[in-house]
């Protein structure tokens, strides 16, 4: 579905938001990935939802920009940059590392007095108080790190022999692993402190065959939620790509409820 857009934004949004959309869905990508992960989503999500992939610095269209290495600094920068488009009903989806970033961005905006998302969707990632599912940045050499990415479905095996390509990719992955490891210093709410808990509805997804993150670790996001629901779907760590039909069926069922709420919300 297409419609009129605002003036094209600079920086993290790959395209301008639509003015006619009832609900904006800001999407944050996984470690080593980019906003192109969400390229198929506009054709799959419910009409009325404007899918807005967020491109982190240092990859794809922003490959010349300096990459971040800690979640807190990155979240504050993204929250400031996205602020002009968080003035109407919106939701957040983050996949793997993107779940941590999306949560941190939402928390930063809410601490600043901004509008809360109608829902935070987290996919294939352990709750922030747990040990990050991905290894520390310097635990593995290049060959072993590349093999790990292949094993979880994040890298096509054909690239294992492409040293030139891996030399470009793996530094990005290592910086993203540093972001994941910085979760305790990211300024996130303490789930054991009732005064810090944010009024967030969290909808979590776990892949039934995910070799990296099990459903129990995803279920632990419940400690951060006002209202929580976990759905286990077919597929591995990248289930939106591996088994899209069951995932999008569940996502669209949830988004339909948010659309109703968004259309009733004051401007």
């Amino acid at each position: 579905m297409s419609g009129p857009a605002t003036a094209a934004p600079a920086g993290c949004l790959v395209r301008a938001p639509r003015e006619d959309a009832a609900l904006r869905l800001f999407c944050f990508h996984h470690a080593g990935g980019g906003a192109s992960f969400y390229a198929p989503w506009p054709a799959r999500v419910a009409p009325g939802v404007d899918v807005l992939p967020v491109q982190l610095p240092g990859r794809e269209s922003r490959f010349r920009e300096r990459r971040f290495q800690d979640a807190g600094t990155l979240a504050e920068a993204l929250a400031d940059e996205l602020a002009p488009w968080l003035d109407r009903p919106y939701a957040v989806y983050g996949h793997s590392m993107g779940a941590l970033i999306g949560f941190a961005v939402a928390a930063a905006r809410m601490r600043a007095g901004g509008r809360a998302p109608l829902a935070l969707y987290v996919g294939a990632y352990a709750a922030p108080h747990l040990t990050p599912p991905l290894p520390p940045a310097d635990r593995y050499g290049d060959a072993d790190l590349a093999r790990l990415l292949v094993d979880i479905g994040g890298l096509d095996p054909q690239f294992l022999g492409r040293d030139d390509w891996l030399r470009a990719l793996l530094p990005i992955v290592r910086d993203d692993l540093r972001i994941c490891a910085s979760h305790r210093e990211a300024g996130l709410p303490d789930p054991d402190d009732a005064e810090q808990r944010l009024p967030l509805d969290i909808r979590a997804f776990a892949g039934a065959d995910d070799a990296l993150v099990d459903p129990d670790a995803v279920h632990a996001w419940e400690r951060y939620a006002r209202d929580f629901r976990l759905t286990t779907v077919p597929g591995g760590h990248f289930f939106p790509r591996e088994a899209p039909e069951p995932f999008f069926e569940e996502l669209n069922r949830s988004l339909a409820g948010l659309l109703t709420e968004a259309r009733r919300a004051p401007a």
Side-chain angles (χ1 to χ4, degrees):
M1 180 176 177
S2 61
T6 62
C12 64
L13 290 183
V14 298
R15 64 168 183 78
R18 296 200 325 260
E19 284 288 359
D20 65 331
L23 177 70
R24 292 170 175 169
L25 180 64
F26 294 90
C27 300
F28 297 86
H29 60 75
H30 57 281
S36 61
F37 179 74
Y38 294 103
W41 283 43
R44 288 186 171 272
V45 301
V49 178
D50 190 13
V51 177
L52 294 168
V54 176
Q55 188 73 273
L56 301 188
R59 69 239 32 234
E60 295 184 346
S61 61
R62 304 182 71 184
F63 76 97
R64 295 186 184 278
E65 299 180 40
R66 186 170 179 267
R67 296 188 297 273
F68 285 77
Q69 296 185 346
D70 71 274
T73 305
L74 174 59
E76 291 289 346
L78 290 173
D80 288 344
E81 194 169 356
L82 290 171
W85 297 284
L86 302 179
D87 60 344
R88 61 176 64 185
Y90 73 97
V92 171
Y93 180 90
H95 197 83
S96 195
M97 176 190 75
L100 175 67
I101 296 172
F103 179 42
V105 169
R109 283 300 302 151
M110 295 169 72
R111 285 196 305 268
R115 183 193 291 257
L118 296 183
L120 170 67
Y121 294 97
V122 296
Y125 202 73
H129 62 280
L130 301 178
T131 301
L134 292 162
D138 300 318
R139 172 175 293 179
Y140 295 120
D142 285 356
D144 289 337
L145 181 57
R147 172 53 62 183
L148 173 64
L149 296 177
V150 169
D151 290 345
I152 65 173
L155 180 66
D156 192 307
Q158 68 176 322
F159 291 111
L160 289 178
R162 293 285 306 275
D163 290 345
D164 55 338
W165 198 87
L166 291 176
R167 279 194 297 271
L169 171 66
L170 294 181
I172 296 173
V173 175
R174 293 189 192 280
D175 280 349
D176 286 350
L177 296 182
R178 294 182 179 100
I179 288 174
C180 295
S182 70
H183 63 297
R184 298 191 188 281
E185 295 79 41
L188 298 174
D190 182 348
D192 296 321
D193 187 337
E195 293 185 357
Q196 291 189 34
R197 180 167 293 191
L198 299 173
L200 273 175
D201 293 348
I202 298 181
R203 303 291 177 254
F205 290 91
D209 300 315
D210 191 339
L212 187 64
V213 184
D214 64 52
D216 286 343
V218 182
H219 190 275
W221 281 93
E222 183 177 22
R223 293 176 61 184
Y224 297 84
R226 173 181 60 186
D227 184 75
F228 179 80
R229 186 176 304 132
L230 171 67
T231 303
T232 300
V233 294
H237 192 64
F238 294 99
F239 49 79
R241 186 169 62 200
E242 298 165 6
E245 297 301 332
F247 166 70
F248 282 105
E249 181 180 351
E250 291 296 328
L251 179 64
N252 280 322
R253 184 177 292 117
S254 178
L255 288 172
L258 295 192
L259 278 167
T260 299
E261 185 177 351
R263 288 171 177 142
R264 292 174 178 167

